[in-house]
Amino acid sequence: MKLLVTGGAGFIGSNFIRHLLREHPDDSVVNLDKLTYAGNPANLADVAGDPRYAFVQGDICDAKLVRDVARGVDAIVNLAAESHVDRSLVEPDGFLRTDVFGVFTLLEAVRDLGIPRLLHVSTDEVYGSVARGSSTERDPLRPSNPYSASKAGGDLLALSYWHTHGVPVVLTRSSNNFGPHQYPEKVVPLFITNALDDTPLPLYGDGRNVRDWLYVLDNCAAIDLVLRRGRDGEVYNIGGGHEVENIALTREILRLTGKPDTLIRPVTDRPGHDRRYSVDSTKIGQLGWAPRYPFASALETTVRWYREHETWWRPLKSGEFRAWYERQYGNR
Ligand code: NAD
Ligand code: DAU
């Protein structure tokens, strides 16, 4: 396949491109990425010289550019997004632009150019907080923060293009990913790198919110499977199958970094903080997918990666991130 991956310089995107080049020697990939604060060419330094890989810096909201790079591809995989909930609470504009209008731009290109498939990567957050049980693909969407509302907007628009114009879209909605190359604003890399620096770990509220952790390589395999075997117009949930309260996750990170629990700093809760996410992954299971990486060893691998790649994360934590951290946590 000849693929256009958008947002490939981010966390999941870079892992996904590496997965594609490893698993499909005949595939080629163009990576279209705006390089926001979260996009980092260093995430793909190891494949930069591969003749099957090309990078284009640009915005998925730029209709002309999108058409130029999308012409002739077999599929687009959309991983470009503003992705951090806390940022959507203070600077929502970019979320609406990229996560809704950017999806619209891709849909128009797919429609006009007759591209055979658009895989749009979404999130379990669109279902909103789930008190009991697990969300299936048929459940109503109840997003409760500007990030998840924007993602839900992109999802609904994509499905409407399938319904009205027959545009061949397929969606994935995964649970929380963790693994190498995740920007250190997200809880796992933030807490690992803070712990390594003996800096407090700011745990929101009572620390009992539940997330379902999915190792990023399991998500990459699932996206790849849906890309090749999923049905047009369908949504596929991808859950890690490892639900855990934040306090337990935090203690595990401290254990793996060899640091004391006294580093835990309870702070004011995130406004509108969803209590629990949980998705039912039966449907993608029927395509033959199941998570392969056990949580405990995947978290250990992740901690080791951050320990061994200080040159990757330390510069990230000093620039734009420092200003964000001061604003976000300074008075908390
Ligand atoms: P990320 O923030 O690490 O990366 C996003 C990438 O998109 C960056 O490289 C950024 O430069 C690029 N980008 C942003 N706006 C762009 C634009 N307008 N045009 C082109 N490129 C742009 O995000 P991630 O964690 O890798 O998430 C990727 C996708 O997966 C997102 O759609 C997110 O909603 C979804 N998702 C993430 C998780 C998770 O736990 N990280 C879970 C479920 C779903
Ligand atoms: O569920 C999928 C979603 O997972 C993705 O769609 C998002 O792109 C991704 O960012 C992630 O969203 P969360 O809000 O769940 O991830 P985050 O890492 O920000 O927070 C995870 C949990 O940890 C959440 O309950 C809030 C808590 N937390 C987070 C941070 C950053 C803290 O307690 N302290 C923190 O400093």
Side-chain angles (χ1 to χ4, degrees):
M1 285 178 108
K2 190 172 173 210
L3 296 162
L4 173 63
V5 174
T6 63
F11 164 49
I12 302 174
S14 59
N15 279 286
F16 181 63
I17 288 175
R18 199 172 293 103
H19 163 95
L20 281 175
L21 296 174
R22 189 176 54 240
E23 298 297 321
H24 305 284
D26 295 332
D27 283 5
S28 65
V29 185
V30 174
N31 172 13
L32 174 64
D33 197 297
K34 185 177 173 182
L35 298 185
T36 66
Y37 76 94
N40 185 353
N43 289 348
L44 285 167
D46 53 329
V47 302
D50 191 316
R52 299 170 299 155
Y53 172 73
F55 175 69
V56 177
Q57 183 171 2
D59 192 330
I60 61 165
C61 300
D62 179 341
K64 182 179 178 311
L65 175 66
V66 166
R67 259 159 243 249
D68 286 348
V69 292
R71 194 165 278 112
V73 300
D74 298 307
I76 301 178
V77 179
N78 179 33
L79 288 135
E82 289 294 337
S83 69
H84 193 39
V85 173
D86 289 321
R87 290 192 193 243
S88 82
L89 305 180
V90 288
E91 295 161 349
D93 322 30
F95 289 77
L96 293 169
R97 230 176 89 73
T98 295
D99 300 1
V100 184
F101 193 79
V103 179
F104 161 71
T105 309
L106 296 174
L107 289 164
E108 283 289 306
V110 170
R111 184 178 171 209
D112 283 2
L113 299 172
I115 292 166
R117 168 149 284 190
L118 169 63
L119 188 156
H120 173 60
V121 173
S122 188
T123 168
D124 63 357
E125 292 207 17
V126 295
Y127 298 115
S129 200
V130 187
R132 280 174 301 282
S134 301
S135 309
T136 75
E137 291 83 352
R138 291 178 167 280
D139 284 0
L141 306 189
R142 292 203 175 86
S144 48
N145 61 63
Y147 161 70
S148 53
S150 305
K151 292 296 291 184
D155 287 19
L156 293 175
L157 199 60
L159 292 169
S160 81
Y161 267 61
W162 161 251
H163 189 73
T164 54
H165 301 306
V167 168
V169 298
V170 62
L171 276 65
T172 63
R173 292 185 181 139
S174 90
S175 61
N176 284 63
N177 286 220
F178 68 103
H181 295 291
Q182 187 169 28
Y183 190 80
E185 65 191 352
K186 306 284 166 42
V187 75
V188 167
L190 177 69
F191 282 13
I192 293 172
T193 56
N194 276 16
L196 293 175
D197 273 348
D198 298 301
T199 302
L201 277 46
L203 185 64
Y204 295 166
D206 64 2
R208 301 204 53 197
N209 298 64
V210 172
R211 295 294 182 267
D212 174 17
W213 292 98
L214 171 69
Y215 191 54
V216 66
L217 295 185
D218 276 326
N219 191 21
C220 291
I223 294 170
D224 191 10
L225 183 65
V226 172
L227 174 66
R228 285 155 217 274
R229 303 254 319 275
R231 284 181 46 195
D232 287 339
E234 297 283 329
V235 177
Y236 294 86
N237 288 341
I238 307 167
H242 191 87
E243 291 185 28
V244 63
E245 290 185 348
N246 291 337
I247 180 69
L249 172 75
T250 306
R251 290 208 177 100
E252 189 56 13
I253 287 172
L254 288 168
R255 192 185 69 75
L256 289 168
T257 48
K259 304 291 179 172
D261 282 8
T262 49
L263 277 183
I264 298 172
R265 166 89 38 97
V267 298
T268 312
D269 207 353
R270 170 188 281 175
H273 195 175
D274 283 338
R275 194 63 167 169
R276 172 176 176 260
Y277 301 129
S278 178
V279 286
D280 182 322
S281 306
T282 306
K283 188 169 169 182
I284 193 170
Q286 287 162 353
L287 286 185
W289 177 87
R292 288 181 47 221
Y293 294 87
F295 174 78
S297 56
L299 188 63
E300 202 176 330
T301 303
T302 303
V303 167
R304 192 177 326 115
W305 189 87
Y306 282 89
R307 207 190 270 287
E308 291 171 357
H309 292 80
E310 198 177 318
T311 51
W312 181 86
W313 58 263
R314 197 165 288 290
L316 295 181
K317 284 193 95 170
S318 61
E320 183 274 349
F321 180 87
R322 188 178 288 277
W324 159 253
Y325 201 78
E326 280 304 311
R327 280 204 310 278
Q328 170 72 1
Y329 298 97
N331 300 318
R332 208 149 177 165

